[in-house]
Amino acid sequence: MCRRVAERGTHWIGDLGTTVAYLNDDQFFSGYTSLILKRHATELYHLTAAERGRMIEELSRVARALDVVFRPAKMNYELLGNRVPHIHWHVVPRLPDDPNPRWPVWTLPHEPLRLSVEAARERATAVHSALVGLAE
Ligand SMILES: [Zn+2]
């Protein structure tokens, strides 16, 4: 497996099957998560229908886990993939106190908020536990 999706570092949330979830390094938007396809593919239409279906189910599970932990007003999903050869979803809970609630997160310039190792681990573990606790 590619190193990019094999690391279980501080920000690792879980391995969902076809994808792996990590907390984003920038937690300015609390709970900002990346869900990364394990294999190399850059477009939805490069996946088989079955694989695409599994990825969407995994995306939905991660979003539900983030909902349990962060109780957002809205969940955002973005699929860009211009820089790495793995399809990866940006899953961003938009909390009730979001500073820019009507616009994509990209449109708000900010200093990245990097958590301490302990805080990142605690947050990733909370999402992992929610994920494990979800009914199918
Ligand atoms: Zn790779």
Side-chain angles (χ1 to χ4, degrees), residues 72-87:
K74 178 72 183 79
M75 198 69 68
N76 282 180
Y77 310 85
E78 298 193 73
L79 180 60
L80 301 165
N82 297 357
R83 293 196 294 187
V84 296
H86 293 263
I87 289 174

Side-chain angles (χ1 to χ4, degrees), residues 59-136:
L59 173 63
S60 181
R61 285 177 59 88
V62 164
R64 283 173 61 206
L66 291 170
D67 180 72
V68 166
V69 175
F70 294 98
R71 293 292 171 207
K74 178 72 183 79
M75 198 69 68
N76 282 180
Y77 310 85
E78 298 193 73
L79 180 60
L80 301 165
N82 297 357
R83 293 196 294 187
V84 296
H86 293 263
I87 289 174
H88 58 283
W89 293 90
H90 300 261
V91 191
V92 190
R94 305 298 297 268
L95 306 191
D97 64 351
D98 190 292
N100 194 30
R102 296 174 60 83
W103 301 95
V105 290
W106 320 107
T107 62
L108 184 66
H110 64 270
E111 284 297 315
L113 176 60
R114 302 193 193 288
L115 301 179
S116 68
V117 169
E118 297 73 26
R121 210 48 239 138
E122 186 178 329
R123 188 167 287 186
T125 300
V127 181
H128 174 85
S129 299
L131 201 52
V132 171
L134 291 177
E136 287 296 322

Side-chain angles (χ1 to χ4, degrees), residues 4 56 64:
R4 193 185 297 277
I56 293 295
R64 283 173 61 206

